Amino acid sequence: MPVEQRHNDSDSSNDQAFEARLAAALHAAGDTFEADRGALVAAGTVRGRRRRLRRRATVLGGAAGVALAGVGGALLVPWSGSSSGQSPSAVRTIPHPVLSPTARGVTPDEMINMLEGLLPEGKFGKPQGRGVDASDPLVAPYAQVVYDDGHGAAAISVSVNRVLPGGNEARQATQCPDKVFIPYDSCVTSHLPDASVVTVLKGYEYPDRRVDTKLWTANLVTPDGHHVSVSEWNAAAEKDAPISRDQPPLSTEQLKALAAAKEWRGVVDAIPEDPRQTQEPPAAPDDGRRTRQILTSLIPKGLKVVGHASDDDGQFTYVVVDDGHGRSLVQINVQPDMSDVAEQLFGDGSETLADGTRVAEHKGPGEKGGDGVVMWTADTLRTDGFRVVVSAFNSGSQMTPATRATPALTMKQLRAIALSPKWRS
């Protein structure tokens, strides 16, 4: 029997993931990140491009980069793609027989047929898919259909790729996201008899719940580095479709079984190996812990740290502080080699210090839908491209309403944190 470990809501488990990772991580926490996610999956990218997107999202500021890693492997699920050539209105009541991938590769039709063949009997429509592209190992094969078991139409999607066993991507794919950035109802991680790890996350398409579309996902990683990501909704499309049923159609066990189907592993085996993947460093949770320790040491006296991120990302972390007048989220990104985006980050209104460090300060609304949430940011860039950007909010999470009129830290205090020489360590 699989051994299950339930995620403790009080334990921050993934900073960002993404996003996201975030990710979805599971998915974007707000409009800014939704745009990033769409750009990612429309291109079918899964590895190196995700890292570039994360850098881009963080450059743009706020929690977009955070959510990307927090979501983790969930970002691999495609939301759009090229047509397989079948009519979008085609409806079948009997699923195709399950086909096994061969060494010659996998076509979009085969991906769609495998997905339909592995689902319970029902009606299928609006198929989309992408097969194995031998010319680009960064392109993720996927399939998506609208499935109706007689209780309402639901979009179901599957995406597969190869990850480096023991690497950051493999680990993040099956981590529960951090509820500070990605709210959800439940997250359960199971260890299967073959030593695969699968995480089932039950959350929402829109983290701010402006539309109550449910999104349930299963992310599975095998010891050999096969990664399978399955998503389902209680609507015929992930966005801009009315809710058609109370819950997505597949139960937790059915989601796990679909993700664990041996057919997907054959598809992964057909994907050409990306030599760049072997360059990924192993997971280094101590780096994230060190970042959080430095941030905590720089929090002004009188503020009590009442929450913090997990220790899985050396470039990002956060703490939640309280001075007795309400919780306040404080997050930081520490990034080397950012000179190439200096002009995007520091335009009119920024200043240059005597040592050449550029500093920009921003005050504005929060990005993720929390009622009355504001965001204060101090952004710094050293002459060698070393960037430290610190943001504080007047709530313990961007998803929840404001708990106070302004953040617990002043702009002067945020600036002092960002300019601290401790980050060089």
Side-chain angles (χ1 to χ4, degrees):
M1 295 293 291
V3 177
E4 295 189 348
Q5 178 180 357
R6 295 193 175 272
H7 177 63
N8 186 335
D9 290 347
S10 64
D11 177 27
S12 300
S13 64
N14 194 339
D15 65 53
Q16 306 110 65
F18 149 243
E19 265 206 352
R21 221 262 201 105
L22 329 140
L26 186 347
H27 290 290
D31 292 336
T32 299
F33 177 57
E34 284 160 11
D36 288 339
R37 184 188 70 182
L40 174 68
V41 296
T45 57
V46 294
R47 284 186 287 274
R49 296 177 195 174
R50 177 200 296 174
R51 286 187 286 273
R52 289 197 294 274
L53 177 61
R54 179 177 176 186
R55 172 187 171 102
R56 203 156 52 238
T58 309
V59 166
L60 295 175
V66 176
L68 178 60
V71 122
L75 287 170
L76 304 179
V77 181
W79 314 95
S80 61
S82 59
S83 171
S84 68
Q86 295 171 277
S87 169
S89 60
V91 175
R92 293 177 293 278
T93 57
I94 303 299
H96 289 297
V98 176
L99 302 177
S100 296
T102 64
R104 62 176 172 76
V106 182
T107 68
D109 281 343
E110 287 175 325
M111 286 295 297
I112 294 166
N113 292 347
M114 280 188 277
L115 174 58
E116 293 183 356
L118 290 166
L119 292 172
E121 185 174 345
K123 295 181 180 181
F124 300 91
K126 297 185 178 179
Q128 300 179 33
R130 180 182 291 118
V132 174
D133 185 347
S135 66
D136 189 352
L138 292 178
V139 174
Y142 81 93
Q144 180 171 305
V145 298
V146 175
Y147 167 73
D148 193 338
D149 57 0
H151 301 286
I156 298 180
S157 176
V158 62
S159 176
V160 302
N161 78 313
R162 181 184 290 109
V163 294
L164 185 67
N168 284 313
E169 191 172 351
R171 182 169 53 89
Q172 291 174 357
T174 55
Q175 281 185 328
C176 292
D178 195 325
K179 276 195 169 182
V180 166
F181 300 107
I182 308 294
Y184 53 86
D185 292 332
S186 68
C187 185
V188 179
T189 297
S190 301
H191 299 268
L192 305 183
D194 67 352
S196 296
V197 179
V198 59
T199 296
V200 176
L201 178 72
K202 294 185 176 182
Y204 300 87
E205 175 63 29
Y206 300 94
D208 60 8
R209 305 287 293 277
R210 62 184 181 273
V211 178
D212 210 27
T213 305
K214 293 183 179 179
L215 167 60
W216 294 0
T217 66
N219 272 279
L220 177 139
V221 174
T222 73
D224 296 324
H226 302 91
H227 178 202
V228 182
S229 185
V230 178
S231 290
E232 60 171 343
W233 294 261
N234 62 335
E238 64 272 15
K239 295 182 185 296
D240 302 323
I243 294 173
S244 52
R245 51 193 298 144
D246 291 338
Q247 309 286 355
L250 303 181
S251 67
T252 297
E253 291 304 316
Q254 287 174 316
L255 271 176
K256 288 163 59 176
L258 179 56
K262 65 181 183 300
E263 287 79 9
W264 306 127
R265 305 186 191 194
V267 177
V268 176
D269 289 337
I271 300 173
E273 290 198 34
D274 179 4
R276 289 165 291 184
Q277 186 184 21
T278 60
Q279 299 172 8
E280 179 187 357
D286 286 346
D287 290 345
R289 184 177 298 111
R290 177 60 178 157
T291 303
R292 178 168 54 83
Q293 288 173 343
I294 295 174
L295 176 59
T296 301
S297 73
L298 295 172
I299 294 297
K301 292 182 179 179
L303 295 175
K304 181 180 180 181
V305 176
V306 296
H308 60 77
S310 58
D311 301 318
D312 61 354
D313 191 333
Q315 290 193 350
F316 169 84
T317 194
Y318 75 84
V319 295
V320 178
V321 300
D322 195 334
D323 58 0
H325 301 287
R327 293 192 169 206
S328 183
L329 171 67
V330 182
Q331 66 184 35
I332 189 164
N333 279 282
V334 181
Q335 303 166 308
D337 305 322
M338 296 294 287
S339 296
D340 57 330
V341 294
E343 296 310 313
Q344 294 174 251
L345 298 170
F346 303 89
D348 296 339
S350 65
E351 64 177 298
T352 302
L353 306 183
D355 64 357
T357 298
R358 302 181 72 172
V359 181
E361 300 178 359
H362 308 281
K363 291 185 178 181
E367 301 173 323
K368 306 305 173 186
D371 187 24
V373 173
V374 298
M375 175 180 179
W376 292 3
T377 299
D379 201 345
T380 63
L381 186 70
R382 273 67 166 182
T383 54
D384 62 355
F386 185 74
R387 181 195 184 203
V388 180
V389 53
V390 187
S391 296
F393 305 83
N394 58 335
S395 176
S397 167
Q398 290 202 66
M399 305 295 178
T400 56
T403 56
R404 51 192 299 136
T406 60
L409 281 78
T410 65
M411 186 63 77
K412 181 178 179 180
Q413 291 170 327
L414 291 173
R415 180 184 175 114
I417 291 174
L419 291 171
S420 171
K422 288 186 177 182
W423 299 116
R424 289 295 192 174
S425 64

